Amino acid sequence: MVIILNRAKRNGAKIYGILIDHENISFVLDGFQCVLINANMEVKEKKTISVKQGFILGRTTEGKFIYIYAGKDISIRRQATINTWLYFISRTPDVETYRAISFNGGILNKLFFNAALDFDYDKSGHIKVQYKDDQQVYSLVNEEMRGTVAVRSSVSENVSAEKGTSIAISGTELELVFEEEQKVETFSDMFGYILNLCQFMAYRRNVRFEEIFLGQESKRLPGIYEKIASCFVRYDEKIETEKNMHMCITFNELGEGTAHLLNSIMNNRTAKPQFMIGFLPENDEDVNLVTSMKIREICSSLESEMELLDIRGEHEKEFEELIDKLKKVVKEHRDGDGSLDKKDYDYVFGTLNHLTGALGDRIENCFMEYQPILGEVIYRKQIDQIVKYRNTITHGNYMQLDVELAETAYVLIMLIYCCILKRVGMADDRIHELFQRRIIS
């Protein structure tokens, strides 16, 4: 089967135009740097260009409307520069809401097994092509945001005078459809959610999409979402990962876990983390690099996962009882003739609330529970060493990072992945198979 990938992208040419409601102000967009130029040479005071949902609106020389993300109002006298990370191009000047976002190609082509076309030969030797719907659709389980997430093959039909009619899979599409209208200012959150999801599945940060579109439901065809704007995003990494599909987690394997994983990402908060992946490699060259910061991220992520899975240490119950007794003593001191300031008591209670049993105990229990799935071996001594290393560097002291610590860190990354995949409902044998395929590499 021949797969034709859609490589349609902007050619990098500069975009020229004027701002809507500010006819004297023109703009030049070069990549993601936008220069505004005031043609009124007699202006003496700065002029304010107000943003709408974080965007300024312009019209290109091609007659299209462009929404450039500025974040805040812009002050300009003669000239101003905006270093943006996002802009939309549309044929309509009133894109304020959307009902769907479509992500196409790029990393998605490595995260989904396309099965929309079956090719076979009939008795006369002619090729027979049969289309089948291979999309996976899941309900968003987020309480604040309802809708569906769908992953499917993109199929394109081409007509050529020389080659006739041809049909081919042009890539993979992921589409979010919401029950209610979403303001365009929410795009950055939605983009971040899907980017994090794909980064986790690929075990890389340097992932990207070929095309992104905003959609609205068709007035003529209910249930069909028409493209109303093309979205252009600046990625931190210039080079996309070359990791092959066999070493990634696919949507086919995640199944229903896709919605649960996306829900964890959407609900992730600093005060109550549900999805911490700060240890991911930046790119393919960084995959074997272990740093002090990565070890801190690994330990923090593992603590979060063990809390979510309610994995405790051997003497965790006794430790919690001790903390309760200490809180009682502090409360009695505060309510008696104590001479400390209220802030001092708040500090003590805050410290006690964040105290947990020995991290090494919990990691050991977690590892022993999931060891058959991982197929790796580490010992308590290695766990204690990495906990000691994390605590030492956290308090600003120096400790040598050696090969043994790096190897332990690698196994703990596998443990974190195991915890997350178990949490979203993946079966043990499927997780074990993923590790056999070296997804953490």
Side-chain angles (χ1 to χ4, degrees), residues 389-403:
Y389 182 87
R390 195 281 291 267
N391 292 340
T392 300
I393 62 173
T394 299
H395 291 92
N397 298 315
Y398 174 77
M399 183 174 173
Q400 181 68 39
L401 179 58
D402 56 29
V403 174

Side-chain angles (χ1 to χ4, degrees), residues 19-246:
L19 296 189
I20 303 296
D21 298 329
H22 301 279
E23 294 185 356
N24 288 328
I25 300 178
S26 60
F27 69 85
V28 181
L29 183 64
D30 185 4
F32 290 89
Q33 185 177 79
C34 180
V35 178
L36 305 178
I37 303 169
N38 192 344
N40 185 357
M41 303 302 293
E42 299 178 359
V43 64
K44 296 181 180 179
E45 297 182 355
K46 286 188 176 181
K47 182 180 181 65
T48 298
I49 302 170
S50 299
V51 298
K52 196 170 185 179
Q53 296 193 54
F55 294 85
I56 58 174
L57 176 61
R59 187 157 193 169
T60 72
T61 53
E62 297 174 342
K64 295 180 181 179
F65 294 94
I66 184 167
Y67 299 73
I68 303 169
Y69 184 77
K72 59 182 180 180
D73 294 348
I74 305 298
S75 294
I76 180 174
R77 183 176 292 147
R78 299 269 190 252
Q79 185 173 305
T81 300
I82 304 170
N83 290 308
T84 187
W85 72 277
L86 167 69
Y87 63 92
F88 304 145
I89 291 183
S90 175
R91 293 189 179 277
T92 174
D94 55 358
V95 178
E96 296 184 6
T97 62
Y98 62 92
R99 280 282 306 280
I101 304 181
S102 173
F103 299 83
N104 297 266
I107 188 60
L108 293 172
N109 294 336
K110 299 180 179 183
L111 305 179
F112 184 70
F113 289 103
N114 302 112
L117 299 179
D118 278 338
F119 291 84
D120 197 5
Y121 292 89
D122 59 19
K123 294 181 179 179
S124 61
H126 293 96
I127 297 177
K128 295 171 60 178
V129 181
Q130 183 176 358
Y131 170 79
K132 61 179 181 180
D133 186 359
D134 67 349
Q135 79 169 346
Q136 299 177 189
V137 183
Y138 306 108
S139 297
L140 289 174
V141 293
N142 188 274
E143 294 180 358
E144 300 178 0
M145 194 175 302
R146 298 194 177 277
T148 59
V149 53
V151 187
R152 55 179 168 260
S153 297
S154 298
V155 178
S156 61
E157 185 176 359
N158 299 301
V159 179
S160 169
E162 298 178 352
K163 299 181 180 180
T165 302
S166 63
I167 186 170
I169 294 175
S170 57
T172 300
E173 176 186 12
L174 184 150
E175 183 181 53
L176 287 175
V177 177
F178 305 98
E179 289 184 1
E180 299 180 355
E181 297 279 342
Q182 303 293 316
K183 292 184 177 181
V184 294
E185 64 186 357
T186 65
F187 172 85
S188 59
D189 288 335
M190 302 305 163
F191 171 78
Y193 297 150
I194 300 302
L195 186 71
N196 282 170
L197 175 69
C198 294
Q199 288 174 330
F200 172 80
M201 295 171 70
Y203 187 60
R204 292 291 189 278
R205 288 196 180 280
N206 60 328
V207 303
R208 61 179 63 204
F209 310 101
E210 288 185 15
E211 296 176 312
I212 307 174
F213 301 101
L214 297 182
Q216 278 287 13
E217 188 170 17
S218 171
K219 296 180 180 179
R220 297 169 299 164
L221 301 170
I224 300 298
Y225 294 87
E226 299 176 339
K227 298 171 182 176
I228 57 172
S230 298
C231 312
F232 298 90
V233 176
R234 184 185 67 199
Y235 295 92
D236 293 332
E237 291 279 346
K238 295 181 180 180
I239 301 175
E240 185 180 358
T241 178
E242 295 182 359
K243 188 176 182 182
N244 65 57
M245 183 180 191
H246 183 71

Side-chain angles (χ1 to χ4, degrees), residues 266-280:
M266 289 180 168
N267 287 336
N268 195 39
R269 300 290 185 273
T270 302
K272 193 175 181 181
Q274 294 192 30
F275 188 75
M276 300 179 69
I277 55 173
F279 53 82
L280 291 189

Side-chain angles (χ1 to χ4, degrees), residues 371-384:
Q371 192 278 331
I373 303 175
L374 302 175
E376 297 285 339
V377 176
I378 55 174
Y379 300 99
R380 178 55 188 266
K381 179 183 177 182
Q382 294 168 279
I383 293 173
D384 287 341

Side-chain angles (χ1 to χ4, degrees), residues 16 52 98 184 215 238 242 269 337 340-341 345 348 441:
Y16 299 87
K52 196 170 185 179
Y98 62 92
V184 294
K238 295 181 180 180
E242 295 182 359
R269 300 290 185 273
D337 297 327
L340 297 178
D341 189 272
Y345 290 107
V348 174
S441 63

